[in-house]
Amino acid sequence: MKKSLKEQLPETFVLRMKELLGSEYEAFSDSYEEKTYAGLRMNTLKITPEEYLKLTGQTLESVSWCPTGFYYNGSREYSKNPLYHAGLYYIQEPSAMFPAQALPVAPGDVILDMCAAPGGKSTALAAKLQGTGLLVSNDISASRAKALLKNIEANGVRNSIVLTEDPKNLAAPFEGCFDKILIDAPCSGEGMFRKEPSMMKAWEKNGPEFFSKLQREIVDCGIRMLKAGGMMVYSTCTFSVEENEGTLQYILENYPDMHVVPIEQNGEGLASAHPEWVDGAEEIRYAKRLWPHHLRGEGHFTALLKKDGEPSETLWPEESGNIKELPEEFAGFLRESGVRLDFEPSRLMLQGDHLSYLPKHTPALGKLRRMRTGWYLGDIKKKRFEPSGFFARGLAPDECDHWIDLELPDARVIKYLKCETLEVSPELSNGWYIVGVCGHSLGWGKVSGGTLKNKYPSGWRWQ
């Protein structure tokens, strides 16, 4: 007879959790027999929760610790939905919404998401920035960063840089540069055992001791890059004391100018951390533990820290574009497509065929491994400009005059997402158009004689 998930828990893990939780252990272990919870978070770069619920007529229950988060039934109708493909929401485990929510973000902030793949927290931070400031999203794994990049682009984030560097290589060029830093650290993953049982075997191979050393190396880099007066979130998806309270105590002992501070965001079931488990400083109690037997979500730990001192302006060598005026191919495309944005030539970067628009105050990145710098607009080749899907996703209806807007019942929406040719009104003039759904951009198409040639990115094709 197949063992239940509760019975599959590693023995060492069970013994330690019994020691930590005492009388609460039975409720904790019983939670492994309960269902996992599915969540989605609205992308407020494109839509507010109120607008989304009005548009769809849905009734969704809010996640108490994330004002833009909601529970849903986990069905494919949300992942196989044109509104999802338009970037209106991000599918995210409810507890995983808390770290980005806990980081206070102000307009114009310069933010680093240090371990960013697959992009859930980066897209949440970008939504909080609302197009201001700069978001640097980094992940050491180039393969994982591909998912990060796709989510940044699909969500229409125009003010971001995506790097694939070891945090050690970021510390020197970015010393004292960031207003806010989020470190969702690699961890032993104990909090994900219910959702991903396969992680139990990985835990037995590399457990808390292995990851706590790695986490301390990462936070060393993060603290070095944080400005005076800056704030940092440290989070994990594990229950391990060594990786949670232990890491905070390490920070407090080694960095006297760092302090754990209260998290303003409250929510049902959030519990305080336990400084007594590491004979640590009382301020560690300000951190939050998310236990699966206290709330509807998986296991997480989140702490907000602040560095002493007065905030200062970010000063770093800036990277400027390499174009003195708009390339004629690009200027001609803007006229033909009706895009009404004023691009500053000094922020346009042409690398080979690829044309990008740099965020304001982009740092000089030197030899750092970058996957994307700014808003990738498209390619200039054979004396013509071919726009990118990212360019389309970053545009709002009031920024482009040529817009073909389809409603959800229209069969052409799915045909478009499948990269098929569409029939459109013969009254439309020939040229480039945004194809949208319910007022939100999906991608480009080129009209000729009542037929739209599909320019939706093949890598995003509806499957």
Side-chain angles (χ1 to χ4, degrees), residues 30-313:
D30 286 346
S31 73
Y32 286 87
E33 304 302 310
E34 298 174 2
K35 67 175 184 177
T36 59
Y37 294 92
L40 55 86
R41 177 180 43 75
M42 299 303 165
N43 177 14
T44 54
L45 284 176
K46 293 182 174 286
I47 197 167
T48 66
E50 295 76 18
E51 289 168 340
Y52 175 84
L53 295 175
K54 182 179 180 180
L55 170 65
T56 61
Q58 296 171 354
T59 300
L60 296 173
E61 185 179 357
S62 297
V63 174
S64 64
W65 51 84
C66 181
T68 58
F70 295 86
Y71 294 99
Y72 77 101
N73 59 15
S75 71
R76 293 188 71 202
E77 67 179 290
Y78 287 90
S79 58
K80 294 283 288 185
N81 189 309
L83 299 181
Y84 173 65
H85 286 262
L88 299 196
Y89 55 87
Y90 183 94
I91 293 174
Q92 188 173 31
E93 193 279 312
S95 292
M97 299 176 188
F98 187 63
Q101 189 60 42
L103 186 63
V105 174
D109 274 347
V110 177
I111 300 178
L112 171 64
D113 185 358
M114 199 186 303
C115 310
K121 296 170 181 68
S122 275
T123 52
L125 293 172
K128 293 176 83 170
L129 280 173
Q130 285 295 300
T132 69
L134 176 67
L135 173 66
V136 179
S137 299
N138 176 75
D139 201 277
I140 192 172
S141 168
S143 60
R144 282 172 49 83
K146 290 178 181 177
L148 165 65
L149 177 61
K150 181 178 178 180
N151 285 316
I152 288 281
E153 294 185 344
N155 279 255
V157 181
R158 300 184 342 192
N159 58 327
S160 69
I161 295 171
V162 178
L163 304 177
T164 57
E165 272 293 351
D166 186 319
K168 294 176 183 176
N169 296 332
L170 300 177
F174 290 135
E175 185 163 1
C177 285
F178 291 100
D179 299 298
K180 310 286 166 60
I181 294 178
L182 191 149
I183 301 176
D184 186 44
C187 69
S188 59
E190 295 171 355
M192 293 291 109
F193 285 178
R194 179 171 67 172
K195 185 180 178 185
E196 300 178 37
S198 62
M199 294 193 72
M200 288 187 235
K201 288 190 175 180
W203 181 88
E204 291 175 321
K205 182 179 179 181
N206 287 318
E209 184 178 353
F210 171 84
F211 283 102
S212 64
K213 293 177 182 177
L214 177 61
Q215 290 152 1
R216 294 177 186 193
E217 292 175 359
I218 292 173
V219 298
D220 286 340
C221 297
I223 292 168
R224 186 176 171 187
M225 290 185 277
L226 189 65
K227 284 182 185 179
M231 304 188 83
M232 182 177 85
V233 157
Y234 172 79
S235 65
T236 71
C237 58
T238 194
F239 304 118
S240 159
V241 174
E242 300 97 311
E243 300 174 71
N244 294 329
E245 287 90 348
T247 298
L248 293 188
Q249 183 63 18
Y250 166 82
I251 293 172
L252 298 176
E253 289 176 354
N254 288 275
Y255 298 95
D257 58 344
M258 293 292 293
H259 302 282
V260 186
V261 297
I263 295 172
E264 292 183 4
Q265 185 64 43
N266 294 311
E268 182 181 355
L270 301 178
S272 297
H274 291 264
E276 69 275 13
W277 287 350
V278 292
D279 193 23
E282 184 61 24
E283 65 194 76
I284 290 173
R285 203 174 300 279
Y286 290 136
K288 297 295 184 183
R289 277 184 170 269
L290 282 69
W291 297 101
H293 61 296
H294 285 175
L295 46 76
R296 289 178 293 167
E298 305 309 307
H300 265 71
F301 178 90
T302 299
L304 178 64
L305 300 106
K306 185 172 184 178
K307 181 182 277 191
D308 289 342
E310 292 299 317
S312 59
E313 184 181 353

Side-chain angles (χ1 to χ4, degrees), residues 131-134 157-161 318-327 330 341-351 354-363 370 373-377:
T132 69
L134 176 67
V157 181
R158 300 184 342 192
N159 58 327
S160 69
I161 295 171
E318 292 189 13
E319 184 163 291
S320 59
N322 56 4
I323 296 176
K324 293 183 179 180
E325 59 184 33
L326 264 61
F330 181 54
L341 288 177
D342 293 325
F343 290 92
E344 300 173 28
S346 63
R347 291 168 57 193
L348 287 169
M349 175 71 75
L350 186 62
Q351 295 174 298
H354 304 317
L355 183 67
S356 298
Y357 195 53
L358 305 181
K360 289 183 178 179
H361 310 303
T362 296
R370 65 181 85 180
T373 308
W375 192 11
Y376 169 46
L377 302 174

Side-chain angles (χ1 to χ4, degrees), residues 323 325-341 343 345 348 355 377 379-380 383-386 391 432:
I323 296 176
E325 59 184 33
L326 264 61
E328 181 51 40
E329 298 90 342
F330 181 54
F333 172 82
L334 296 179
R335 291 191 296 269
E336 183 181 352
S337 62
V339 173
R340 292 186 284 104
L341 288 177
F343 290 92
L348 287 169
L355 183 67
L377 302 174
D379 296 340
I380 296 176
K383 299 297 181 181
R384 62 182 175 82
F385 178 77
E386 188 80 15
F391 188 10
W432 288 95

